[in-house]
Amino acid sequence: MSIRRITRHLLQHHWRARQVFPPAVIDRIEQAIRQSETTHSGQVRFVVEGALDGLPLFRNQHARARALDVFSHLRIWDTAHNNGVLIYLLLADRDVEIIADRGIDAKVGAVGWEAICRAMEAAFRAGQFERGVIDGIASVSRELAKHFPPGGAHPNELPDKPVVM
């Protein structure tokens, strides 16, 4: 456990996520998710967490493990075609993780998701948070459209509204 990491998380805390993603930006991201889901039969969720606190922080939980917890908690794995995808951003660590249900993950794989994460992180380093998220959603949606094209009516199984933690 790094004292530097603990300090960064304690100082940034949750206000940072709301500063970088104010309500108008959250609304535009929600719209991007809603529009993207017309191009495939998958489900996309975006979650941003400003910083860890309490036990996750002091247990040195990393972004990937936290994203798995969030994926499970939000029941993203519970889609009819096993094609739910979580895009998770932990701002304090400047780390993006994509957790995908087994149906789509088997098609795209770790290398494909990692490329999308790195592109998003590059946009964030340039201060382009909204653009990075919307481009990430578009990239995830291209993969979903390739492997799970829209087929007739498909219900919106998960909320489109981003979660700010």
Side-chain angles (χ1 to χ4, degrees), residues 110-163:
V111 172
W113 299 128
E114 190 67 23
I116 296 169
C117 290
R118 297 304 72 88
M120 291 177 69
E121 289 169 353
F124 299 159
R125 280 192 299 277
Q128 299 175 343
F129 290 94
E130 181 179 352
R131 175 59 31 215
V133 172
I134 289 174
D135 288 351
I137 291 165
S139 295
V140 166
S141 293
R142 278 192 294 279
E143 292 297 334
L144 283 163
K146 188 183 330 177
H147 302 292
F148 290 92
H154 61 277
N156 192 8
E157 298 177 77
L158 299 172
D160 298 331
K161 184 127 185 115
V163 176

Side-chain angles (χ1 to χ4, degrees), residues 1-11 13 51-62 66 93:
M1 177 171 21
S2 162
I3 297 297
R4 188 176 189 182
R5 182 174 188 242
I6 291 171
T7 302
R8 187 174 60 244
H9 280 259
L10 291 176
L11 291 177
H13 213 266
L52 299 177
D53 57 13
L55 286 177
L57 178 59
F58 291 104
R59 287 185 179 161
N60 200 30
Q61 187 176 41
H62 291 277
R66 181 66 174 162
D93 287 347

Side-chain angles (χ1 to χ4, degrees), residues 47-94:
V47 174
V48 58
E49 189 163 17
L52 299 177
D53 57 13
L55 286 177
L57 178 59
F58 291 104
R59 287 185 179 161
N60 200 30
Q61 187 176 41
H62 291 277
R64 181 98 184 146
R66 181 66 174 162
L68 284 165
D69 287 348
V70 170
F71 183 85
S72 176
H73 179 74
L74 295 178
R75 300 178 60 98
I76 297 169
W77 52 267
D78 194 19
T79 59
H81 300 290
N82 299 313
N83 58 2
V85 178
L86 169 66
I87 303 171
Y88 173 82
L89 169 59
L90 182 55
L91 274 174
D93 287 347
R94 298 179 183 97

